[in-house]
Amino acid sequence: MLERVLQHLEALVAFDTRNPPRAIGTGGIFDYVREHLPGFRIEVTDFGAGAVSLLAVRGSPSRLFNVHLDTVPSSPGWSADPHRLRVEGDRAIGLGACDIKGAAAGLLAAAAETRGDAAFLFSSDEEANDARCIAGFLASDHGFREAIVSEPTGCEAVLAHRGISAVRMAFRGRAGHASSADALDASALHQAMRWGVKALDHVQGCSHLRFGGLTGLRFNIGKVEGGIKANVIAPAAEVRFGFRPLPSQDMDALHATFRSLADPAALAEYEETFRGPPLPAGDVAAAEARRLQARDLADELGLPVGNAVDFWTEASLFSRAGLTAIVYGPGHIAQAHSADEWVALDQLEAYAQSVKRILT
């Protein structure tokens, strides 16, 4: 079965589905997927801006497999063409091989060796803060009760992970000569830095919080820009930051806290640009109930249960919509988004064999 998986993976890696720029249409990689799912009812939906989904259904399934086909941009550190699959030793190397075209190849291989009910949802917009495919699918009358979302989990079923929020903050200042006595307070960049110190201190104070093996609040200031030059007081500054709360943390309360750490006179805008709920979704009681349902599903399917993870996945969107959702796929997150990204061959084969068994 591994040979068939690698044939599909070689073809899938060859398609340029980097996101950004997310220049992805309804043909290309989706034509390939359609061609290799004979006997499936196919529905392709274009949500605009390169967000395309393909739903393939055979029979009358209640369980859905989901996998995204877009990848992150390739970094300058690649030692060879990132869109040409290389098999070296026990590894398959290529952009998206680990995250997560390897799972897509496994689904195609498993579909060809089974005849039972099956449903696959392929999407192209997971790797950007403008996800439309899953939201659009969940708004339809889909009828599914369970979702297995493919991400690199080492072929273990993950039942819980953090939520995610991305924010843009704009600070205002008063332009002037840097020799002025009020430069410390008038600079928008100084205000942004003061906010950053307070935010980091607050996050440090959350280190004692726990949920399902996860601890603390994950936080990152990803970008700060503004100002004109060293001898001019910065009239404006912008900060981009993100945080990843535990399933038990109130995301709106966290936003209120981060906003309150800024000087109101200096804060021009506070905008959440993306939000993803934790897995399981809901308050503490609902999240625990859904986690137990997900564990029952993993046990029913014979999948080993792994630890909760710090990274975010679209499984939480399925959970919020009321489906029992788990994250399950080949490879490890440490190899994702890296130069010379790779996935172990035994992981590819184990995943494809498990999907074949589930479909059978």
Side-chain angles (χ1 to χ4, degrees):
M1 197 168 186
L2 178 60
E3 181 179 355
R4 182 172 294 185
V5 172
L6 289 175
Q7 289 172 351
H8 287 308
L9 185 55
E10 180 179 23
L12 294 174
V13 166
F15 289 101
D16 184 354
T17 55
R18 288 174 290 184
N19 183 4
R22 200 165 77 183
I24 304 169
T26 56
I29 196 168
F30 289 103
D31 283 342
Y32 181 87
V33 170
R34 181 190 292 107
E35 177 188 352
H36 289 88
L37 289 175
F40 281 74
R41 305 186 301 276
I42 304 292
E43 178 182 344
V44 177
T45 305
D46 188 348
F47 294 97
V52 178
S53 69
L54 183 151
L55 176 64
V57 179
R58 183 174 66 191
S60 303
S62 61
R63 181 182 304 125
L64 176 75
F65 287 85
N66 165 243
V67 60
H68 68 88
L69 299 174
D70 56 327
T71 72
V72 296
S74 52
S75 73
W78 278 81
S79 62
D81 183 354
H83 289 112
R84 182 180 64 82
L85 187 72
R86 293 175 283 150
V87 177
E88 298 180 359
D90 60 351
R91 301 178 178 184
I93 306 167
L95 183 58
C98 178
D99 189 10
I100 180 81
K101 290 181 176 180
L107 293 179
L108 296 179
E113 297 199 10
T114 57
R115 295 294 179 267
D117 293 349
F120 306 141
L121 178 66
F122 300 88
S123 62
S124 69
D125 65 347
E126 194 271 348
E127 295 288 5
N129 291 341
D130 181 27
R132 308 180 185 192
C133 292
I134 303 305
F137 168 78
L138 291 172
S140 68
D141 186 18
H142 56 80
F144 294 99
R145 299 192 299 272
E146 301 165 352
I148 301 175
V149 176
S150 300
E151 292 290 355
T153 66
C155 288
E156 293 182 332
V158 167
L159 314 181
H161 65 59
R162 296 177 182 273
I164 186 173
S165 181
V167 178
R168 182 186 70 85
M169 292 181 75
F171 292 84
R172 66 170 70 90
R174 299 186 305 276
H177 198 282
S179 64
S180 172
D182 68 349
L184 287 178
D185 294 322
S187 170
L189 277 172
H190 293 176
Q191 293 293 344
M193 291 179 180
R194 288 192 180 98
W195 171 86
V197 171
K198 293 177 182 177
L200 291 169
D201 287 344
H202 174 74
V203 173
Q204 194 72 25
C206 295
S207 60
H208 65 285
L209 301 176
R210 300 178 181 276
F211 181 93
L214 301 175
T215 59
L217 174 65
R218 295 293 184 267
F219 175 85
N220 181 59
I221 299 174
K223 187 176 184 180
V224 179
E225 60 183 357
I228 299 170
K229 54 185 299 190
N231 63 351
V232 179
I233 297 172
E238 184 176 275
V239 175
R240 299 276 183 156
F241 77 94
F243 62 89
R244 297 170 185 255
L246 300 170
S248 56
Q249 290 181 286
D250 185 324
M251 202 172 292
D252 290 326
L254 285 168
H255 278 295
T257 297
F258 285 126
R259 183 173 187 140
S260 72
L261 298 178
D263 181 346
L267 182 59
E269 294 179 72
Y270 184 101
E271 176 192 9
E272 184 181 35
T273 58
F274 180 77
R275 175 181 293 204
L279 177 74
D283 58 25
V284 176
E288 180 60 17
R290 287 173 173 161
R291 188 187 69 83
L292 294 175
Q293 291 171 346
R295 186 175 187 92
D296 288 343
L297 175 60
D299 290 342
E300 175 190 341
L301 300 179
L303 302 178
V305 175
N307 296 325
V309 296
D310 288 312
F311 59 88
W312 184 81
T313 80
E314 292 182 323
S316 62
L317 303 180
F318 291 96
S319 176
R320 184 174 62 185
L323 284 74
T324 300
I326 62 176
V327 190
Y328 176 70
H332 296 277
I333 199 65
Q335 281 83 56
H337 298 190
S338 63
D340 289 339
E341 175 184 345
W342 61 272
V343 60
L345 301 184
D346 60 355
Q347 286 278 304
L348 291 175
E349 183 164 29
Y351 176 79
Q353 292 286 4
S354 67
V355 173
K356 176 183 175 182
R357 176 177 51 78
I358 291 170
L359 295 182
T360 303

